Amino acid sequence: MPTIKHSVSLAVLVAVLAWSAPSMANEAGDLLAKMRNAVHALNYSGTLVYSQGNELSNYQISHTLENGTEKESVVRLAQGTEAGDENVESFSLAKLQQVQPQAEDVYTLDLGGQEFVANRNCQIVVARPRDGMRYLQRYCIEPDSGMLLKYSLVDRSHRSVEQLMFTALDIVATTSDAVPPIQQAPVAAPAAAMPSKDWIFTSLPVGFQQVQDLQQDGVNGKAPVRQIILSDGMTSVSVFIAPPGALGMLDSMGLSSGAMNIYASEVDQYQITLVGEVPVATLKSISDALQHVH
């Protein structure tokens, strides 16, 4: 039988935990929003290690903001210390998505401990999915600048499927009028795109919604390819629809690698290709729900 003293202590502990959970989530959300702005607004340069699947690569990266225009250079380094000549434009910190409000429906945000990366202290933020339809995302962010120093995607087997980490980083001081103010809260979610009348999804994994419907130029004069983009507020999936007889997207994409998965199917002789940093089961679920309306 607990004493009155112990009962009061327990009640206080419960109250503290009830208050601290949303407080920590809010702080984690604010830090994520600050990070998403920092990778666009700061002037920085450095080297980082990037691993995806069994591939390990080193990159030299620089980013500047001049008169509101972002300039980014990403160069893959050879095995030695010399930089290669080819810019790797498909890899970019500036392409990180803004965290949208609907993400709270499918992720819980938590603060972790602190780490020391590239001679800088950083705070761990974890975006933990509420279901098995997406990966856990783990960030390590420098609190003062908001700069992302380390990032990883983790599957349900606790295996890192994608990771990046700065090994050296310089952030160049800028005048207050050269850098837009840091956003302290997530930006408003973009309006969901109007669903097309000829292609519909009978259902989608919780949290995902259609945000864009685009036409991509065809390859070698072929018919254009439809691209429907879905987002859950933190990650996105692209659905490519190629008409019968057109060159499929798989011919230029290759195989799945690391966190980036690819799933192909066919609907009414249209070639359907889904691409996203989500489990293959999620891509299959989206593909199965896609219907062509005649």
Side-chain angles (χ1 to χ4, degrees), residues 127-149:
R128 198 180 311 276
R130 298 180 186 271
D131 57 27
M133 303 300 285
R134 55 215 99 213
Y135 294 124
L136 179 146
Q137 302 184 36
R138 188 177 185 271
Y139 304 81
C140 205
I141 303 167
E142 185 177 44
D144 291 339
S145 67
M147 186 61 192
L148 176 66
L149 302 183

Side-chain angles (χ1 to χ4, degrees), residues 79-288:
Q79 291 299 321
T81 58
E82 297 297 324
D85 295 328
E86 182 180 358
N87 280 7
V88 186
E89 297 181 354
S90 61
F91 175 80
S92 171
L93 289 180
K95 292 181 181 179
L96 286 172
Q97 289 187 315
Q98 290 284 356
V99 181
Q100 307 298 348
Q102 74 266 23
E104 297 178 3
D105 296 333
V106 288
Y107 294 90
T108 58
L109 299 181
D110 298 308
L111 286 179
Q114 293 191 347
E115 292 187 6
F116 193 67
V117 178
N119 293 320
R120 296 171 179 269
N121 291 311
C122 59
Q123 171 69 56
I124 295 173
V125 174
V126 179
R128 198 180 311 276
R130 298 180 186 271
D131 57 27
M133 303 300 285
R134 55 215 99 213
Y135 294 124
L136 179 146
Q137 302 184 36
R138 188 177 185 271
Y139 304 81
C140 205
I141 303 167
E142 185 177 44
D144 291 339
S145 67
M147 186 61 192
L148 176 66
L149 302 183
K150 186 177 179 181
Y151 170 75
S152 60
L153 282 175
V154 181
D155 64 16
R156 298 189 70 184
S157 300
H158 307 290
R159 180 177 62 94
S160 177
V161 292
E162 181 181 73
Q163 181 171 275
L164 67 85
M165 181 177 67
F166 274 98
T167 55
L169 177 66
D170 290 321
I171 300 177
V172 181
T174 54
T175 58
S176 59
D177 57 352
V179 178
I182 297 295
Q183 299 287 337
Q184 295 298 327
V187 297
M194 289 295 294
S196 60
K197 295 182 179 180
D198 51 345
W199 290 95
I200 63 172
F201 296 94
T202 57
S203 64
L204 286 171
V206 175
F208 277 101
Q209 63 180 13
Q210 183 175 327
V211 294
Q212 281 186 291
D213 191 343
L214 310 170
Q215 291 283 350
Q216 300 284 356
D217 293 335
V219 180
N220 297 326
K222 297 291 185 179
V225 175
R226 185 82 157 269
Q227 181 185 11
I228 298 175
I229 301 177
L230 310 172
S231 175
D232 68 357
M234 289 196 72
T235 192
S236 62
V237 171
S238 287
V239 181
F240 296 96
I241 305 172
L247 185 64
M249 297 298 294
L250 279 177
D251 295 304
S252 60
M253 286 181 179
L255 300 176
S256 301
S257 176
M260 183 65 72
N261 286 310
I262 300 173
Y263 183 84
S265 63
E266 186 175 297
V267 176
D268 287 349
Q269 299 184 331
Y270 284 79
Q271 298 179 60
I272 312 299
T273 307
L274 295 89
V275 183
E277 289 191 333
V278 295
V280 174
T282 304
L283 298 181
K284 183 180 185 304
S285 174
I286 294 173
S287 175
D288 292 344

Side-chain angles (χ1 to χ4, degrees), residues 55-88:
E55 182 180 354
L56 183 67
S57 307
N58 293 303
Y59 292 91
Q60 185 178 64
I61 182 170
S62 66
H63 177 274
T64 58
L65 185 70
E66 299 178 4
N67 299 320
T69 300
E70 290 185 75
K71 295 183 179 180
E72 184 178 47
S73 171
V74 181
V75 179
R76 183 168 181 168
L77 301 176
Q79 291 299 321
T81 58
E82 297 297 324
D85 295 328
E86 182 180 358
N87 280 7
V88 186

